[in-house]
C-alpha cells in the first residue's frame, strides 16, 4: 500500500526498525536500471501491439480461486531477447488505438517514447491514478499504470465508463488491481514479469555489503566531522 503521503514516523515499529544497526530500509528502486527500464518498455509496447491487433496477451493476469505457492517464481520475459529488436523495429503503428499513461513523469516520458511512436495518440498524465483522477483517461483505449496507481473497483468503474479495455501494468506486481472487477467490466490486465531479476539480486547484494561494512554509519560520522572514528 502507498504510504508516501502519510507520516510513518508515528509508527513505533517503523521507528524501532530504522534505528537498529543491522536494519537498512530503502525504497523500491530495482526498476531504475537501464536493463529494467528497457524490458519494461519492450514488454509494455509488445503487449499493447498484441492487444491492438487482437492477439493473445502473453502476460495477462486473471483472478484465481487461490494463489499457488509456486506462482511467485521468476518467469522468463515474454519477449525473447533475440526477438525484442524485431518487435520494437516494427513499422506498423495504430492511429486509432491510444493509451493514457498515469504517473507519467519525465522518466517514463523518456523511456516510453517508442510507445508514442507506435501509438501517436498516447498521452502522459502526471497524476497518480485514483478515483479522483481516473477520468483523465477519457479518449484512450488502454491505460498504463505503475506500482502506486490505484486500480480498485471504483477506478475500474470509471475506466469502464470511459471505454478502457486494457490495463498495462509497467511492473511485475498487480496487487492493486481488482481482478474480479476487471473481469466483470471486461477489462484485460497485463503485467511485466521478471523485468530484471539481476537488478533485484544486485540491490540485495548492495544492501548486504552496506550492512556488513556499516557504510551508513560511516557516512553519517563523516558528515558530522568525526574523521578519526
Amino acid at each position: 500500500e502507498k504510504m508516501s503521503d502519510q507520516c510513518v514516523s508515528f509508527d513505533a515499529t517503523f521507528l524501532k526498525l530504522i534505528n537498529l544497526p543491522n536494519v537498512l530500509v530503502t525504497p523500491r528502486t530495482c526498476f531504475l536500471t537501464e536493463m529494467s527500464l528497457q524490458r519494461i518498455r519492450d514488454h509494455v509496447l509488445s503487449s499493447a501491439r498484441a492487444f491492438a491487433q487482437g492477439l493473445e496477451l502473453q502476460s495477462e493476469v486473471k483472478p484465481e480461486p487461490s494463489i499457488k505457492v509456486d506462482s511467485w517464481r521468476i518467469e522468463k520475459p515474454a519477449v525473447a531477447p533475440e526477438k525484442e529488436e524485431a518487435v520494437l523495429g516494427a513499422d506498423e503503428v495504430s492511429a486509432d488505438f491510444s493509451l493514457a499513461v498515469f504517473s507519467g513523469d519525465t522518466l517514463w516520458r523518456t523511456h516510453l517514447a517508442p510507445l508514442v511512436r507506435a501509438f501517436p495518440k498516447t498521452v502522459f498524465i502526471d497524476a497518480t491514478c485514483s478515483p479522483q483522477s481516473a477520468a483523465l483517461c477519457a479518449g484512450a483505449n488502454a491505460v498504463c499504470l505503475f506500482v502506486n496507481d490505484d486500480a480498485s473497483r471504483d477506478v475500474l468503474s470509471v475506466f469502464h465508463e470511459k471505454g478502457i479495455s486494457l490495463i498495462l501494468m509497467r511492473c511485475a506486481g498487480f496487487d492493486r488491481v481488482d481482478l474480479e472487477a476487471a473481469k466483470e467490466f471486461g477489462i484485460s490486465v497485463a503485467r511485466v514479469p521478471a523485468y530484471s531479476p539481476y537488478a533485484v539480486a544486485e540491490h540485495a547484494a548492495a544492501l548486504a555489503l552496506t550492512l556488513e561494512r556499516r557504510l551508513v554509519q560511516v557516512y553519517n560520522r563523516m558528515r558530522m566531522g568525526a574523521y578519526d572514528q
Side-chain angles (χ1 to χ4, degrees):
E1 183 179 357
K2 182 181 178 183
M3 300 290 288
S4 59
D5 57 348
Q6 299 181 34
C7 188
V8 295
S9 60
F10 289 111
D11 188 323
T13 302
F14 179 79
L15 273 177
K16 183 177 180 180
L17 282 173
I18 205 168
N19 282 289
L20 291 174
N22 61 336
V23 174
L24 191 59
V25 181
T26 69
R28 296 170 290 187
T29 56
C30 292
F31 71 94
L32 282 175
T33 67
E34 197 60 38
M35 176 186 289
S36 300
L37 290 168
Q38 178 182 336
R39 286 192 171 180
I40 290 172
R41 177 200 67 194
D42 294 355
H43 204 96
V44 168
L45 180 55
S46 178
S47 295
R49 275 202 170 113
F51 190 84
Q53 296 170 7
L55 303 177
E56 181 181 357
L57 291 172
Q58 296 187 32
S59 297
E60 185 175 6
V61 289
K62 299 179 180 180
E64 297 288 346
S66 60
I67 297 177
K68 298 179 181 179
V69 174
D70 63 354
S71 66
W72 297 99
R73 68 182 185 278
I74 293 178
E75 302 175 38
K76 294 182 179 179
V79 180
E82 62 271 18
K83 295 182 180 180
E84 285 180 0
E85 198 67 34
V87 172
L88 289 176
D91 293 327
E92 64 274 9
V93 299
S94 173
D96 298 323
F97 194 82
S98 63
L99 297 93
V101 182
F102 281 89
S103 300
D105 56 21
T106 303
L107 172 72
W108 293 112
R109 290 172 189 263
T110 301
H111 285 276
L112 293 180
L115 197 66
V116 180
R117 290 197 292 271
F119 305 102
K121 292 183 179 179
T122 293
V123 295
F124 288 86
I125 301 168
D126 290 331
T128 300
C129 186
S130 68
Q132 292 71 39
S133 64
L136 294 174
C137 72
N141 305 104
V143 295
C144 183
L145 307 182
F146 197 43
V147 291
N148 288 328
D149 288 315
D150 183 354
S152 61
R153 173 174 287 273
D154 289 343
V155 170
L156 295 184
S157 176
V158 175
F159 286 170
H160 179 63
E161 291 175 2
K162 299 300 181 181
I164 297 299
S165 54
L166 173 65
I167 296 175
L168 291 168
M169 300 299 300
R170 55 184 189 274
C171 54
F174 51 93
D175 53 295
R176 296 178 67 83
V177 181
D178 188 330
L179 295 179
E180 291 290 349
K183 180 179 179 181
E184 178 183 328
F185 292 130
I187 300 175
S188 299
V189 181
R191 62 174 183 141
V192 181
Y195 52 81
S196 186
Y198 305 105
V200 175
E202 290 165 0
H203 192 72
L207 292 178
L209 287 172
T210 300
L211 287 172
E212 174 63 24
R213 300 309 299 263
R214 300 182 180 276
L215 295 182
V216 175
Q217 292 91 328
V218 172
Y219 174 73
N220 289 333
R221 288 170 185 164
M222 289 292 291
R223 293 195 63 178
M224 292 186 295
Y227 305 115
D228 58 340
Q229 297 183 23

